[in-house]
């Protein structure tokens, strides 16, 4: 069965390239342009993994993360956080809130693909 | 820190220029024995005689009464206070350093000021990097563009079988993001250029402080200029004068519609020759702003002549700030002409409310004008003045030779200026005794200088005048206070760092003088 990845990112061009890259890897990709939309889509579409930007309009990545971790239904959702903030306290704050992986911008597509594969258990072989 | 006795200086200078006691006595119109008493510090002198002595000996008053030296010594004490623990020199040794190695002492002051300026610059830039919303947004945009470009470039390089429509789309993304990246870079460059300008501005006020101090905040040529102008200091007359002489018109507009690049109540558009004054500002401010405009136009050369060659005004920022300060000085001299104002002030015993009505002036304008009353033969009470903002930071200062006033940050929390902040419109009159036993009369009140619109925070300041206790009986505010040496007084200092008092409930940090002993 095809695994589904949701990209929550407000930069359309980044969404477009990530969608292309992840689709080529065989994932079914959807996207949200703000934090509130991301929460709604996670609940409606129940994706297998979430690529979550930190600086999102309406609800920040931190807020989305907090809500998802507080909800029994979404507590275990694998989340890769993307951020322009690369400082150690940002990473620490995200880890404290229960993020599974953390990458700073700009990143290589291959690294994003590798992280998503790892979170979904596709990296064994 | 006491300076060398004045008599010692007079004797040393007289001998240096080869003048006998008899010749000096004749020039001054006093007896030889009186000169002798002065030189042995058996008679205290001040006022007109001190001025005449200065002229006779070719010395500025500040050099003669030790005020300049005292100022240097106070600053050296501040340096001692700030030195790393364990390496702190005894503040008392500063006088030896100044006496024996004056160029070294002055070089040290220069370095200290430079370091203080650099620290403020670093703090300002650090705050800017961490908090500036434009900078934060720009960095975020830059990283987003770089991410998109890198991601798309990876795709273009690693996907040879890319369908042509898709390739064209990714090419367009690279173009779009590259344009955005260059826009952001330009914004960032502008932000950094502006922060450099801010930093340069830090040196200006300090240089002007030094300059006004050396000139005792009195400028005879500018006073004469204002007197020659003999302008009727009423708004209607000044508006007519500006229009007839210079083609400058005045208009009023709502404070919220004032140009956004000015925080002041007035703005001037040179292209249309229009002076815009905000509605709601006090009539005293309107009057002062009109006089300031006249000063800027007509006293331009006189002001330039004053600041030309001033050694303190080394930076462009210092010269700009000094030009602005002297334009305000001329405005004060236009609206409150020296001779009648001096007479009125003495007669009213410096009653600010009475003079405010008579001259239609604000408390701050009057206090400023008080500090300039130094004309030989018609001196007013020698006042120090300072202004503190709501955070307690001293934003304006005109020092007095014997009153130790901190150059940076705030003063002793017991100074009247801080008590005034607690109760707007209440005058706080106090006698303050410094650790060396010198007493000063301090008068303070809080003021809210500018009307604002809904949603804007109205600024508030406290103003303080201080004079030596011997002059306090000339002020209406001292009535009812015991001005004798045994009268009640607040035990104050200059700043905690330099204050040797023990057991003070208001102490915020340890004193270098306590640590040193």
């Amino acid at each position: 069965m095809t695994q589904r990845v949701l990209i929550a990112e407000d930069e359309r061009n980044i969404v477009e390239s990530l969608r292309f890259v992840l689709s080529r890897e065989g994932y079914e990709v959807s996207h949200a342009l703000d934090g509130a939309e991301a929460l709604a889509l996670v609940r409606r579409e129940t994706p297998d993994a979430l690529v979550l930007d930190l600086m999102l309009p309406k609800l920040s990545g931190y807020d989305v993360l907090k809500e998802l971790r507080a909800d029994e239904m979404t507590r275990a959702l694998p989340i890769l956080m993307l951020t322009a903030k690369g400082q150690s306290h940002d990473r620490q704050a995200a880890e404290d809130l229960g993020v599974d992986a953390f990458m700073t911008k700009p990143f290589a597509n291959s690294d994003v693909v590798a992280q998503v594969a790892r979170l979904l258990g596709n990296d064994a072989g | 820190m006491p300076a060398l006795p004045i008599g010692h200086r007079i004797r040393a200078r007289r001998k240096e220029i080869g003048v006998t006691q008899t010749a000096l006595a004749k020039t001054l119109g006093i007896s030889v024995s009186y000169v002798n008493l002065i030189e042995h510090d058996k008679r205290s002198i001040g006022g007109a005689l001190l001025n005449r002595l200065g002229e006779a000996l070719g010395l500025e008053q500040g050099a003669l009464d030790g005020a300049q030296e005292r100022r240097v010594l106070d600053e050296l004490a501040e340096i001692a206070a700030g030195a790393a623990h364990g390496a702190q020199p005894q503040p008392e040794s500063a006088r030896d350093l100044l006496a024996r190695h004056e160029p070294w002492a002055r070089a040290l002051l220069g370095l200290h000021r430079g370091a203080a300026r650099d620290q403020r610059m670093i703090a300002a830039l650090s705050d800017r990097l961490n908090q500036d919303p434009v900078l934060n947004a720009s960095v975020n945009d830059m990283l987003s563009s770089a991410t998109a470009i890198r991601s798309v470039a990876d795709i273009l390089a690693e996907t040879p079988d890319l369908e042509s429509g898709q390739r064209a789309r990714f090419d367009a993304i690279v173009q779009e993001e590259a344009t955005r990246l260059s826009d952001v870079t330009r914004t960032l460059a502008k932000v950094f250029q502006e922060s450099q300008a801010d930093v340069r501005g830090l040196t200006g006020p300090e240089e002007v402080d030094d300059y006004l101090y050396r000139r005792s905040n009195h400028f005879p040529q500018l006073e004469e200029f204002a007197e020659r102008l003999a302008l009727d200091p009423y708004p209607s007359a000044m508006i007519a004068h500006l229009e007839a002489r210079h083609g400058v018109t005045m208009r009023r507009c709502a404070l919220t519609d004032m140009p956004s690049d000015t925080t002041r109540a007035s703005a001037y558009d040179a292209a249309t020759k229009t002076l815009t004054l905000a509605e709601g500002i006090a009539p005293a401010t309107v009057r002062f702003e009109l006089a300031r405009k006249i000063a800027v136009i007509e006293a331009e050369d006189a002001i330039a002549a004053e600041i030309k060659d001033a050694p303190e005004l080394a930076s462009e920022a210092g010269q700009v700030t000094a030009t602005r300060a002297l334009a305000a000085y001329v405005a004060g001299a236009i609206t409150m002409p020296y001779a009648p104002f001096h007479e009125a002030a003495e007669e009213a015993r410096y009653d600010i409310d009475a003079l405010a009505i008579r001259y239609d002036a604000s408390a701050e304008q009057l206090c400023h004008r008080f500090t300039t009353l130094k004309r030989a033969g018609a001196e007013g009470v020698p006042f120090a003045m300072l202004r503190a903002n709501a955070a307690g930071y001293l934003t304006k200062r005109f020092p007095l030779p014997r009153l130790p006033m901190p150059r940076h940050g705030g003063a002793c929390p017991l100074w009247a200026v801080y008590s005034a902040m607690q109760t707007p419109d209440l005058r706080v009159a106090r006698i303050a005794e410094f650790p060396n036993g010198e007493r000063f009369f301090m008068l303070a009140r809080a003021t809210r200088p500018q009307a604002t619109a809904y949603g804007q925070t109205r600024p508030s300041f406290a103003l303080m005048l201080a004079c030596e206790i011997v002059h306090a009986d000339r002020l209406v505010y001292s009535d009812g206070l015991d001005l004798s040496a045994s009268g009640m007084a607040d035990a104050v200092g200059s700043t905690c760092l330099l204050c040797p008092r023990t057991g003070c409930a208001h102490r915020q940090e340890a004193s270098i003088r306590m640590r040193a002993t």
Side-chain angles (χ1 to χ4, degrees):
Chain A
M1 190 181 158
T2 311
Q3 289 174 310
R4 287 167 305 153
V5 177
L6 172 65
I7 302 168
E9 164 66 78
D10 60 330
E11 291 286 340
R12 288 175 187 276
N13 290 337
I14 296 176
V15 170
E16 206 168 327
S17 65
L18 284 181
R19 174 189 278 281
F20 178 85
V21 171
L22 291 172
S23 300
R24 274 179 74 94
E25 294 297 315
Y27 300 112
E28 190 181 314
V29 180
S30 55
H31 77 265
L33 292 169
D34 63 58
E37 190 187 3
L39 267 184
L41 279 183
V42 167
R43 285 173 180 146
R44 199 169 68 222
E45 297 183 355
T46 59
D48 298 297
L50 171 64
V51 177
L52 176 65
D53 183 37
L54 178 58
M55 304 272 278
L56 286 175
K58 295 187 184 172
L59 272 182
S60 78
Y62 285 137
D63 295 328
V64 172
L65 183 59
K66 222 184 287 177
E67 289 228 15
L68 293 177
R69 290 300 181 240
D71 185 341
E72 193 64 39
M73 299 293 290
T74 53
R75 184 166 293 163
L77 175 69
I79 299 176
L80 163 62
M81 186 167 264
L82 303 178
T83 175
K85 294 183 160 191
Q87 288 173 335
S88 57
H89 58 261
D90 295 319
R91 178 184 288 262
Q92 190 59 52
E95 281 173 3
D96 290 347
L97 288 171
V99 81
D100 298 285
F102 187 94
M103 288 180 68
T104 52
K105 295 177 180 177
F107 43 74
N109 292 343
S110 54
D111 290 339
V112 177
V113 169
Q115 284 289 3
V116 171
R118 187 179 66 81
L119 294 182
L120 290 173
N122 301 332
D123 57 343
Chain B
M1 186 175 293
L4 278 174
I6 187 167
H8 180 95
R9 277 166 210 287
I10 293 170
R11 190 165 66 250
R13 177 65 181 170
R14 179 177 58 73
K15 287 183 175 169
E16 186 186 327
I17 58 174
V19 173
T20 62
Q21 276 192 341
T22 314
L24 184 60
K26 198 173 166 197
T27 311
L28 297 174
I30 57 176
S31 68
V32 179
S33 59
Y34 197 66
V35 169
N36 197 40
L37 287 170
I38 289 173
E39 289 194 352
H40 289 89
D41 290 302
K42 299 276 178 3
R43 288 288 181 279
S44 60
I45 59 162
L49 181 58
L50 189 62
N51 284 340
R52 294 215 304 279
L53 248 170
E55 275 173 31
L57 297 174
L59 279 179
E60 283 173 7
Q61 191 180 325
L64 193 59
D65 65 9
Q68 285 174 4
E69 181 186 297
R70 186 183 172 112
R71 195 164 151 84
V72 172
L73 289 175
D74 282 343
E75 206 173 340
L76 286 172
E78 275 187 41
I79 295 177
H85 195 61
Q88 282 159 340
Q90 293 282 345
E92 289 69 26
S93 62
R95 198 173 332 115
D96 287 344
L97 178 71
L98 187 59
R100 292 187 197 174
H101 307 289
E102 191 183 332
W104 281 104
R106 292 197 181 275
L108 189 59
L109 287 192
L111 284 172
H112 172 61
R113 287 182 187 183
R117 196 167 55 233
D118 291 349
Q119 276 167 7
R120 291 204 299 282
M121 178 178 83
I122 290 166
L125 289 177
S126 162
D127 283 354
R128 183 149 210 171
L129 281 174
N130 289 316
Q131 295 160 12
D132 189 312
V134 177
L135 200 57
N136 272 328
S138 299
V139 169
N140 204 45
D141 283 354
M142 204 167 74
L143 285 166
S144 291
S145 286
T147 304
I149 291 170
R150 178 167 182 193
S151 183
V152 171
D154 281 354
I155 294 169
L156 290 170
E158 291 161 9
T159 324
D161 57 339
L162 204 55
E163 178 254 320
S164 68
Q166 189 65 275
R167 182 173 291 278
R169 172 65 198 135
F170 284 136
D171 282 343
I173 289 180
V174 171
Q175 279 295 331
E176 182 191 328
E177 293 291 349
T179 307
R180 183 175 154 203
L181 193 57
S182 60
D183 289 346
V184 177
T185 320
R186 209 171 291 130
T187 307
L188 269 180
K190 196 164 166 255
V191 167
F192 281 112
Q193 262 168 5
E194 280 169 4
S195 62
Q196 275 178 354
D198 289 351
V199 166
R200 278 199 302 272
L202 290 174
T203 60
E206 217 168 70
E207 290 176 12
V208 175
D209 266 5
D210 286 350
Y211 171 64
L212 295 180
Y213 184 79
R214 178 175 62 81
R215 299 294 308 266
S216 303
N217 199 27
H218 180 67
F219 296 85
Q221 309 291 332
L222 299 183
E223 296 289 354
E224 281 168 25
F225 175 88
E227 279 169 346
R228 273 200 309 277
L229 200 61
L231 207 61
D232 194 2
Y234 294 98
S236 53
M238 289 195 282
I239 291 169
H241 179 91
L242 276 169
E243 195 156 1
R245 279 272 198 92
H246 309 290
V248 171
T249 53
M250 188 203 65
R251 72 177 189 103
R252 306 293 295 267
C253 86
L255 190 69
T256 44
D257 295 334
M258 290 295 284
S260 59
D261 58 348
T262 174
T263 55
R264 303 167 65 92
S266 79
Y268 183 67
D269 183 346
T272 59
K273 288 192 166 188
T274 308
L275 176 66
T276 306
L277 300 181
E279 287 168 354
I281 57 174
T285 310
V286 171
R287 197 162 157 263
F288 197 82
E289 290 299 332
L290 289 166
R292 190 206 298 270
K293 190 71 234 163
I294 293 170
V296 166
I297 299 172
E298 296 187 26
E300 191 184 1
D301 293 344
I303 290 171
E306 292 288 352
I307 63 171
K308 186 172 162 271
D309 302 328
E312 297 87 354
L313 305 174
S315 72
E316 196 187 322
Q319 290 182 13
V320 170
T321 313
T323 303
R324 212 178 299 133
L326 292 190
Y329 184 102
V330 175
I334 290 173
T335 51
M336 295 167 268
Y338 197 102
F341 181 76
H342 170 249
E343 200 182 315
E346 287 287 335
E347 195 183 297
R349 298 179 63 217
Y350 296 87
D351 183 336
I352 292 171
D353 292 303
L355 291 165
I357 293 168
R358 185 152 173 190
Y359 279 89
D360 201 5
S362 71
E364 185 164 350
Q365 290 161 10
L366 287 164
C367 292
H368 257 276
R369 190 61 175 138
F370 289 163
T371 66
T372 66
L373 298 178
K374 311 262 175 57
R375 177 178 282 175
E379 293 98 344
V381 170
F383 279 117
M385 174 188 162
L386 57 80
R387 192 179 77 175
N389 67 12
Y393 196 86
L394 302 184
T395 54
K396 234 177 215 183
R397 71 197 97 203
F398 291 108
L400 260 187
R402 308 199 72 77
L403 177 66
M405 214 181 254
R407 288 181 69 87
H408 306 294
C412 169
L414 287 164
W415 285 21
V417 67
Y418 298 119
S419 312
M421 201 74 92
Q422 293 157 12
T423 323
D425 295 328
L426 183 79
R427 282 146 211 81
V428 178
R430 301 270 265 276
I431 297 164
E433 182 172 300
F434 281 79
N436 63 3
E438 289 190 6
R439 287 184 166 214
F440 287 84
F441 181 75
M442 292 180 166
L443 171 72
R445 64 183 282 180
T447 173
R448 313 196 79 186
Q450 187 182 302
T452 49
Y454 177 73
Q456 293 178 331
T457 306
R458 194 171 167 185
S460 61
F461 299 103
L463 291 170
M464 186 177 93
L465 288 171
C467 69
E468 291 187 37
I469 197 78
V470 293
H471 300 294
D473 62 346
R474 289 164 69 187
L475 313 180
V476 69
Y477 302 99
S478 70
D479 290 354
L481 291 174
D482 182 357
L483 301 176
S484 69
S486 57
M488 291 258 290
D490 296 328
V492 308
S494 60
T495 64
C496 288
L497 263 178
L498 298 176
C499 179
R501 292 191 188 281
T502 52
C504 174
H506 301 267
R507 181 171 288 290
Q508 295 295 313
E509 57 186 333
S511 163
I512 165 71
R513 298 199 167 151
M514 282 153 70
R515 279 186 246 149
T517 50

